[in-house]
Amino acid sequence: MTTTRCGAGVATRWQMLRIGQAARRGAAGSITRFVALLFATAALCLAFTSLVAVYAGYEGTQERTAARSPQRVSDGHAKTLARYLLAHDTLSDARSYTVAYVEPVRPAIAPPPGLASWPAPGEAVLSPALLKAGAEDHIAARYGKFAGTIGPHGLASPSERFAYVRPAHSMRGIVDARPIHGFGAAPEWGNGDFTHQRPIWNLLFTVCGFLLLPAAVCAVLAARVGADERDRRTALLTAMGALPTHRRLIVIGEAAMPVAVGAAVGAAPAAVGCLIDVPVPFVDFTLYAPDLRAWALWLAGMVLLSVVVMLTAVTILHRHRRSTARATRPHASRPVLARFACWACPVFLLTASYGPGLSPSPTLRVLLQAVGALGGFATLPALIAAACRTAGSALAEQTRRWAGPSALISGRWMAASASTTSRLVCSVVIAIGITGQAQLWMSRMAEPVRQATAVHHIVGDSIVRVTSPKPITREFAESLPGQEVFLSLTESKGTIRAAGTCTDLKAVQLPCRSTTATPAAEADERLRYALGGGTDITTIATTPMSAPASRAALVLSRHHTMLDVSEIKRIANRTLAPGTDVSTLGTDWISGGMVLKDQSGWLLCLGLLGTSVLAVGFALNTQAAFLRQGRAAAPLTVLSGRRTVFYGLSGWSLFAPMLSAGAIGILVYSWLAGPLTADGYASLSSTLVLAGLGVSATLGLVLWGFGGASAARSASRWRPNDD
């Protein structure tokens, strides 16, 4: 008897699931609900797996960085097996990379991870990313003979720019060349990409805010798509005596297929990432496939979690109304609050735009900007709803005179259901606005980079600063082309002494022989930028054969032409001590700006992804509302004699609001950017502008075609009845 009851219970549950599947196929608007559930589950799955990918990437990066970090010899507790010196260099794109000068002292020490053997004297081993990025700079010949590439297990990530160089001459006597006895220590500052890596919680919070939160909103919207018809079905099942468990199983059976397909779609990026290295858009970073494979079980768990969360949301948000009379009872509106929000929104936006300029303190300026922006976003839906109501009434009034049925019906529907259109528009506007604010603040942090870039634009590559840990050799000066000016620099009691031939000194407007100091402001303007406008310069004339005795020098072009910086660096690496720095003016600041640019790229990438998720979620929600309108307007087929009228309805109800949402979002982004860009410390992102307009326009076109076709197909099944 017990076995029979258990078998009957299992059979009943399976029957309820099959009823749910049949209900999904037979319901009106089933395609829209299927797509909505599929997309929401895929977004959730992508967000969950992205969190795991962030953790996997950070852990893999730190493990490989630690494996190649040198074990320093301290207090004679270990034998010196090699010498190790970290330095940094840049390519023509101003991106910094790490150069590790290595020299084995004893044959017992193993080479660093990623190297099959130690490079011979005068050889260099480069990472594949550095070799590719530096092709135009002839990076393969910069440090000597090219001896191969670093293996992937010796790099923090496949996109890391890193080089191992063994100098042609011994590193003995160089203070910064530290003795080591092996590799495998705690990651140290300056070692590759680890130098610029932000705390892991920073990126995790960014993923949660820009991807997981929009995915959760999208899941709630998808769970409520087609709620009216499911409420009627639930009332029928309740009247037939169905238990709450039965109703939940029917709902799960209805959603199981789209949720499963959505989880598979959302897991596809993680699956691809486990097979091949995946570059992140807008960011100079490549996710290493073995890092993800090490967390494959966690990724699979996140896929299952997305299915469980979505099915739970569908079940919980399927609210059963016990009284149908209560469902049709009119609800009290709050016109006073709505009117207040309509007036408050422009006030908040004006405060965010003009308030910081009138504020006396920096703290108050930032506070006014933040309060104005947040208040504007909070009250914007009410203002957009009022605008939709007014625009709908105006559209209906105008097209009534033109006898246009599509615009007339859309205008009436927009005026009556302004909140539905408002949610669609506001989702895009607020998403673009928040992403834009994050991008603006990141660009504002790069003000020193802006100043350095301005200096670099003035002097360009016509001047190079050389700094060496040992005195600069005569061989370096003699190896420079004859049209270049070479000045050896030393500092004494606040005065810079420049040594060079008379020809070189006169080329930069310095006296050949003088007993008094010359202000830098009276010499070549490049010296003013390199040494400072208030610096005094004394000059010493030398012969071409005299050897410079300083550790700093300037190389300038005679006629403000561009120097071959890559060739000068190659000469320096061949003739000067390891660790010699050769850079143009402002390069260090610009390199730091590239780091900020890459970090803001994460905001841009995740922000655009989150904006797209929100836009699609609200668009599908509006699509479902439009299909209900389309079914109600089915008799228009008889009156107009054609079904193309539904494409007009779709155009006015879906495409026009989506296109307007993109334009309004860019307008709000530009408006709120005023205080941040007024002083030139921040700049608008053309990528964000084009992406915002492109996403809204593309999504609007898709909804236009799909909505019109779905409404026309629904109308074709309409038959007159006695209602």
Side-chain angles (χ1 to χ4, degrees), residues 223-286:
R224 293 300 296 165
V225 167
D228 294 342
E229 185 166 342
R230 292 199 309 280
D231 288 342
R232 291 193 295 269
R233 184 187 66 207
T234 300
L236 176 61
L237 292 172
T238 303
M240 295 174 62
L243 298 176
T245 303
H246 297 154
R247 294 196 297 268
R248 285 193 290 270
L249 288 173
I250 291 176
V251 172
I252 292 174
E254 179 191 18
M257 180 60 70
V259 168
V261 176
V265 172
V272 173
C274 289
L275 299 176
I276 60 174
D277 299 335
V278 178
V280 180
F282 306 109
V283 182
D284 187 23
F285 180 80
T286 301

Side-chain angles (χ1 to χ4, degrees), residues 501-534:
T501 64
C502 282
T503 304
D504 289 348
L505 292 173
K506 291 179 180 179
V508 292
Q509 302 174 19
L510 288 175
C512 183
R513 294 179 178 85
S514 177
T515 57
T516 60
T518 302
E522 298 179 4
D524 191 299
E525 66 171 351
R526 294 173 292 177
L527 295 179
R528 184 172 72 251
Y529 287 113
L531 305 178

Side-chain angles (χ1 to χ4, degrees), residues 146-311:
F146 176 63
T149 58
I150 305 173
H153 59 284
L155 299 171
S157 69
S159 58
E160 185 182 34
R161 300 180 180 184
F162 199 91
Y164 284 107
V165 178
R166 184 173 179 180
H169 305 288
S170 175
M171 297 169 62
R172 184 187 300 273
I174 299 178
V175 177
D176 292 335
R178 303 297 178 87
I180 64 173
H181 62 89
F183 296 92
E188 59 181 7
W189 186 91
N191 196 336
D193 287 352
F194 181 78
T195 306
H196 310 301
Q197 196 174 65
R198 300 185 66 85
I200 186 173
W201 58 265
N202 198 315
L203 190 53
L204 289 175
F205 283 167
T206 303
V207 173
C208 290
F210 284 91
L211 187 55
L212 183 58
L213 184 59
V217 173
C218 192
V220 173
L221 293 173
R224 293 300 296 165
V225 167
D228 294 342
E229 185 166 342
R230 292 199 309 280
D231 288 342
R232 291 193 295 269
R233 184 187 66 207
T234 300
L236 176 61
L237 292 172
T238 303
M240 295 174 62
L243 298 176
T245 303
H246 297 154
R247 294 196 297 268
R248 285 193 290 270
L249 288 173
I250 291 176
V251 172
I252 292 174
E254 179 191 18
M257 180 60 70
V259 168
V261 176
V265 172
V272 173
C274 289
L275 299 176
I276 60 174
D277 299 335
V278 178
V280 180
F282 306 109
V283 182
D284 187 23
F285 180 80
T286 301
L287 190 59
Y288 191 36
D291 290 344
L292 279 185
R293 284 200 293 269
W295 290 77
L297 292 179
W298 279 90
L299 292 173
M302 292 299 103
V303 176
L304 294 177
L305 179 63
S306 65
V307 173
V308 172
V309 169
M310 195 65 224
L311 291 179

Side-chain angles (χ1 to χ4, degrees), residues 334-426:
R334 291 177 284 183
V336 177
L337 184 60
R339 283 198 297 269
F340 171 77
C342 288
W343 286 103
C345 183
V347 174
F348 278 121
L349 293 178
L350 288 173
T351 301
S353 181
Y354 292 102
L358 303 175
S359 176
S361 65
T363 303
L364 187 57
R365 283 197 293 270
V366 175
L367 182 62
L368 287 175
Q369 170 74 13
V371 171
L374 293 177
F377 290 146
T379 54
L380 185 63
L383 181 61
I384 295 293
C388 291
R389 195 175 296 111
T390 303
S393 299
L395 179 65
E397 180 64 24
Q398 293 297 325
T399 53
R400 182 180 64 81
R401 302 171 183 174
W402 301 339
S406 300
L408 176 64
I409 296 172
S410 297
R412 294 298 186 193
W413 180 74
M414 187 183 299
S417 306
S419 59
T420 302
T421 307
S422 174
R423 285 194 297 269
L424 173 64
V425 174
C426 287

